[in-house]
Amino acid sequence: MPKISRRQSLQLLGSGLLASTLGANAQDYPAKPVTLVVPFAAGSVTDASARLFAKEFTRQLGQSFIVENRPGLVGMRLVKAAPADGLTLLWHSGAATVAQTMLSKPDFDIRRDFSPIGCAFQLTLGLHVRSDLNISTYKQFIEYAKKNPGKLNYSTAGIGSVPHLAVEMLRSKAGIEVVHIPYKGGSSVPASILSGEADFLAWDPAVRSLFKDKARTLALFSKVRSPAYPEIPTMVEEGGPLIEAAVWYALFAPANTPTTIVTKMNLAMKQALESPDIVNFMKTNGYVSTWAPAEEFRKQIANEVTQWTEAVRVAKVPLQ
């Protein structure tokens, strides 16, 4: 049997102690209250979903999870600078992968400066068109747009929003010209198609209950159909480009947070998704659970940053 040097013995001992310490960290975690930073104002959907999960995490893990609203990039920067001990976490929306692409000199990278824990649920955007345009399919929509360049317009919650970037990607890939009407916020967007101010939207499929016979939903910005709306085809099915555009809500930790803590919170999220309050929240708002191991969510984040970086370029969005 080969001899083991003193140095090797110390290395092995150190590794064992490290593994033991990490295991203890996960077992004892959280030993103190956890701050759940939300980069949106109180009362927003992101805030409401964060509070539902904070309640469930508190119940499961026996330690308080306290929501702290830090609107804008301030919230992301706060979590980035926090110790990697799992006591400061970030609850964010799909805007997390857009934020850095809007900055001329970003001082953070969602892929490098955060540890993705998991995506709780999402809502895939749909392409909605005014009924009086007599467009029934995605193909007819593209044909109409090509025959009438610059005639169709669409409204969104603002420049750089996910719906705006999704339509700009469609414009570029499908070779059509359309006009953007940006609002300051999303509350007026669905009404714009009813009033005739907007011809089409990239928006939540749940608004169909408001549209009734005033607008049609032609396709989803996705590669697979949504379990919440199985009757709506995807753009890919209809011969269109692959553009993934969804509103999602997810949990992040600072970079280098121990894998044991990330995994523990990932599994806590999975369990929380079974709670009656969260199940009801998803059903009421048309969300679909998208829980998966943390590493799968990390890949999703990387793909989205690539897509939105291209969209910002295509849309010629002024960088901040």
Side-chain angles (χ1 to χ4, degrees):
M1 180 177 179
K3 292 183 178 180
I4 299 178
S5 68
R6 183 173 181 274
R7 181 179 179 183
Q8 289 173 319
S9 297
L10 290 173
Q11 288 176 333
L12 289 172
L13 178 61
S15 298
L17 287 173
L18 178 60
S20 176
T21 300
L22 291 178
N25 283 345
Q27 185 176 356
D28 299 338
Y29 172 83
K32 298 178 182 179
V34 177
T35 299
L36 198 58
V37 177
V38 177
F40 292 88
S44 63
V45 177
T46 311
D47 173 71
S49 58
R51 293 180 188 279
L52 286 174
F53 276 87
K55 177 183 175 182
E56 285 302 312
F57 292 153
T58 298
R59 183 186 64 79
Q60 283 183 47
L61 302 174
Q63 190 61 262
S64 296
F65 280 72
I66 304 166
V67 172
E68 183 175 319
N69 299 94
R70 292 294 189 96
L73 298 178
V74 172
M76 295 188 73
R77 289 168 177 147
L78 187 154
V79 177
K80 174 192 171 184
D85 56 9
L87 297 181
T88 303
L89 303 176
L90 176 71
W91 183 265
H92 212 325
S93 69
T97 54
V98 176
Q100 70 193 62
T101 68
M102 302 284 289
L103 301 175
S104 58
K105 296 181 179 179
D107 58 344
F108 65 88
D109 188 322
I110 193 71
R111 298 163 296 183
R112 180 192 66 228
D113 298 320
F114 297 86
S115 295
I117 291 175
C119 183
F121 43 70
Q122 73 172 32
L123 186 155
T124 302
L125 299 186
L127 177 66
H128 313 280
V129 180
R130 275 179 29 218
S131 297
D132 59 6
L133 291 174
N134 295 318
I135 296 173
S136 302
T137 66
Y138 168 80
K139 290 180 181 179
Q140 290 178 358
F141 171 77
I142 297 300
E143 289 172 359
Y144 184 95
K146 287 185 175 181
K147 290 178 181 178
N148 300 275
K151 183 176 179 180
L152 293 177
N153 57 55
Y154 69 100
S155 61
T156 72
I159 294 173
S161 62
V162 170
H164 171 222
L165 297 180
V167 173
E168 288 302 305
M169 287 293 285
L170 175 60
R171 178 186 65 76
S172 175
K173 293 190 174 187
I176 59 176
E177 288 301 324
V178 294
V179 178
H180 181 212
I181 303 174
Y183 288 123
K184 293 182 179 180
S187 60
S188 300
V189 173
S192 68
I193 201 170
L194 298 177
S195 67
E197 183 177 7
D199 298 309
F200 72 98
L201 306 173
W203 207 254
D204 171 2
V207 296
R208 293 187 302 167
S209 62
L210 298 176
F211 293 159
K212 297 184 178 181
D213 61 346
K214 299 294 184 179
R216 296 189 180 97
T217 303
L218 305 182
L220 296 180
F221 286 83
S222 176
K223 62 182 175 183
V224 294
R225 294 199 182 201
S226 169
Y229 306 101
E231 71 282 6
I232 305 177
T234 69
M235 282 188 188
V236 174
E237 288 180 67
E238 297 290 289
L242 172 58
I243 302 170
E244 296 275 11
V247 176
W248 50 254
Y249 300 95
L251 189 62
F252 298 82
N256 302 317
T257 296
T259 303
T260 48
I261 292 177
V262 169
T263 300
K264 187 167 187 175
M265 287 307 304
N266 176 268
L267 294 175
M269 172 184 284
K270 181 181 182 182
Q271 185 175 335
L273 284 164
E274 299 175 2
S275 75
D277 286 348
I278 292 178
V279 169
N280 182 61
F281 180 86
M282 289 193 293
K283 183 177 181 180
T284 301
N285 294 284
Y287 293 110
V288 175
S289 172
T290 50
W291 178 89
E295 193 54 39
E296 289 188 31
F297 183 43
R298 181 182 294 276
K299 294 176 183 177
Q300 176 185 332
I301 291 297
N303 290 338
E304 287 197 14
V305 170
T306 299
Q307 174 178 272
W308 297 137
T309 299
E310 173 64 10
V312 167
R313 185 192 67 79
V314 165
K316 298 179 180 179
V317 175
L319 300 181
Q320 300 173 19

